Amino acid sequence: MAKHNLLKKTKYKKVLVCILYHNNEINLFKLIKKISLKKQHRILIVVDGKIIINNRKKILQHNNKIKFIYSLKKKTVAFNRNLAMNYAKKKFDLVLFLDSDVIPDKKIINSHVQFHNEYKDIPLIGGSVIPSFFKNRYNLWEILDGCLSWFTSIDTNHNKLIHNPYHLPTCNLSIKKNFFFNNKITFDSKLKTGEDVDLCNKVRNKNGKLMLIKNAKVLHQDRTNFKSFINHHTNWGRHQFYTIYKKKYSKLIGNNFFNFLFLIIYPFVMPIINLISTFFTVFPWVKFKFRFILLIPAVYTVHLIKGLFTYLEFLKK
């Protein structure tokens, strides 16, 4: 009872906005200008060790509440997110992750803070992600990339809980710091991609809930050519081996038995699994606008390719 009363009295004010910066072709200043900070808000930019920030001086002149820290070369995104969480541990209440290739609403921080205070028992809150094909409608790869990436975070006019098998992407995600550390949660630094899915699974395993909120949009610049598109989704397929299969089932049935079953059974059930994945991907878009049903053949094809790379990742190990 005392713990519940303490939770009710807690007021989340101190926010660390964390931006991972790994590509100096992205205009970081354009993103910074869109973020409106209050007195107790700060921005942390975690820079890939090999990147030079061309307009660093201009950024600091625009906003003196910014801190740059440099990660080591060849570290994963998950490793850099852990750097941000550890930086926030003693000074902040909430950590809001934004990707460097998004343009956020001006009041995005206020919306995240508002709903963390309104829903104190929900540790993970995400905002909507608007794919860039909403503005550039005639690029096939951009349309597919947006639909395959942001089906869990389609723009909403109300708050809603996010249930399995859906997750919240880390390009627009805020975390209650105390829940993260009290439950000894970390981002899995071994994962090259898929750290957001893994985080959501860990939060649910600790009886935490996920919520998608209104009035906290970002516009995400999606991939516009075949090479970048296919590289992203084959890597996605590789991380699925860990986030969907190995982490869960190898613990349940033992690693050796899991490996044997995956080797023998997965190639035969893969088409069915990927048909189900296609349904869960396209269904939210069809609810949004029925014409997205036309994407089913293309989305199923991409899921089959991802499934193939899931199996290749298993064979590699």
Side-chain angles (χ1 to χ4, degrees):
M1 186 71 177
K3 184 177 179 181
H4 179 71
N5 289 336
L6 183 63
L7 191 64
K8 283 182 71 176
K9 292 178 182 177
T10 302
K11 190 78 172 176
Y12 301 106
K13 296 179 180 179
K14 298 177 182 178
V15 183
L16 180 68
V17 180
C18 177
I19 301 165
L20 305 189
Y21 192 62
H22 57 86
N23 181 356
N24 59 7
E25 292 182 4
I26 293 173
N27 188 341
L28 188 58
F29 184 63
K30 185 178 179 182
L31 167 58
I32 297 298
K33 284 196 301 181
K34 287 287 186 178
I35 300 174
S36 178
L37 298 180
K38 290 186 176 179
K39 184 179 179 180
Q40 293 177 301
H41 302 164
R42 296 291 185 273
I43 296 175
L44 177 70
I45 299 174
V46 182
V47 184
D48 188 303
K50 63 185 177 182
I51 296 296
I52 297 173
I53 302 176
N54 298 321
N55 53 0
R56 174 175 171 150
K57 187 175 180 181
K58 185 178 180 181
I59 290 169
L60 291 173
Q61 286 174 344
H62 175 77
N63 194 322
N64 61 5
K65 294 182 178 180
I66 296 175
K67 170 81 172 178
F68 290 89
I69 63 173
Y70 287 80
S71 175
L72 300 172
K73 292 181 181 180
K74 297 183 179 178
K75 292 297 182 180
T76 62
V77 169
F79 177 90
N80 292 337
R81 294 199 190 283
N82 283 328
L83 284 181
M85 293 303 301
N86 288 325
Y87 181 88
K89 189 172 185 178
K90 295 181 179 180
K91 299 178 181 178
F92 296 92
D93 305 317
L94 305 172
V95 177
L96 169 59
F97 284 106
L98 296 175
D99 279 3
S100 56
D101 54 359
V102 305
I103 299 297
D105 282 351
K106 271 280 187 184
K107 296 183 179 179
I108 191 168
I109 301 176
N110 293 342
S111 293
H112 277 271
V113 171
Q114 174 191 340
F115 291 118
H116 270 290
N117 282 307
E118 189 171 329
Y119 301 99
K120 289 189 166 63
D121 60 334
I122 296 181
L124 223 58
I125 286 180
S128 300
V129 183
I130 311 300
S132 54
F133 76 80
F134 274 37
K135 290 191 173 183
N136 310 312
R137 297 174 184 272
Y138 304 107
N139 184 306
L140 173 63
W141 307 117
E142 192 172 9
I143 293 170
L144 282 175
D145 193 50
C147 287
L148 283 156
S149 299
W150 314 123
F151 60 95
T152 65
S153 302
I154 296 172
D155 192 16
T156 180
N157 59 7
H158 63 281
N159 302 331
K160 60 181 181 180
L161 293 174
I162 300 297
H163 303 286
N164 260 329
Y166 297 110
H167 69 282
L168 292 170
T170 38
C171 68
N172 183 10
L173 178 75
S174 55
I175 304 171
K176 286 183 173 72
K177 176 209 65 180
N178 284 344
F179 183 92
F180 187 88
F181 287 107
N182 291 345
N183 287 284
K184 298 179 180 178
I185 294 173
T186 60
F187 289 95
D188 187 343
S189 296
K190 295 178 182 178
L191 292 175
K192 292 182 179 179
T193 58
E195 80 284 351
D196 45 7
V197 176
D198 185 62
L199 173 68
C200 292
N201 290 339
K202 288 175 178 176
V203 168
R204 286 181 174 128
N205 288 340
K206 298 295 183 179
N207 298 316
K209 295 179 181 178
L210 286 60
M211 176 174 278
L212 181 69
I213 60 170
K214 61 184 179 180
N215 301 329
K217 303 176 190 176
V218 299
L219 175 69
H220 188 277
Q221 180 54 57
D222 298 310
R223 293 156 189 86
T224 58
N225 61 73
F226 174 75
K227 183 179 179 181
S228 61
F229 169 81
I230 204 66
N231 283 343
H232 174 67
H233 288 279
T234 53
N235 283 332
W236 193 340
R238 290 185 185 280
H239 86 238
Q240 283 183 162
F241 171 66
Y242 303 100
T243 56
I244 296 178
Y245 302 106
K246 186 174 177 63
K247 283 195 170 191
K248 182 177 181 180
Y249 296 109
S250 65
K251 290 181 180 179
L252 287 175
I253 62 177
N255 196 53
N256 290 337
F257 191 42
F258 165 79
N259 288 338
F260 173 75
L261 288 180
F262 200 87
L263 176 69
I264 301 301
I265 296 175
Y266 183 77
F268 297 99
V269 299
M270 184 185 74
I272 299 171
I273 291 172
N274 288 303
L275 187 61
I276 295 169
S277 297
T278 298
F279 168 79
F280 282 115
T281 301
V282 176
F283 180 66
W285 288 111
V286 172
K287 284 177 65 179
F288 180 69
K289 284 189 179 177
F290 186 75
R291 65 172 180 245
F292 283 106
I293 201 168
L294 298 173
L295 290 174
I296 287 177
V299 171
Y300 183 54
T301 301
V302 176
H303 274 295
L304 286 174
I305 294 169
K306 288 163 69 173
L308 172 63
F309 277 83
T310 299
Y311 195 62
L312 291 175
E313 185 67 15
F314 161 72
L315 294 177
K316 188 176 80 172
K317 298 297 179 182

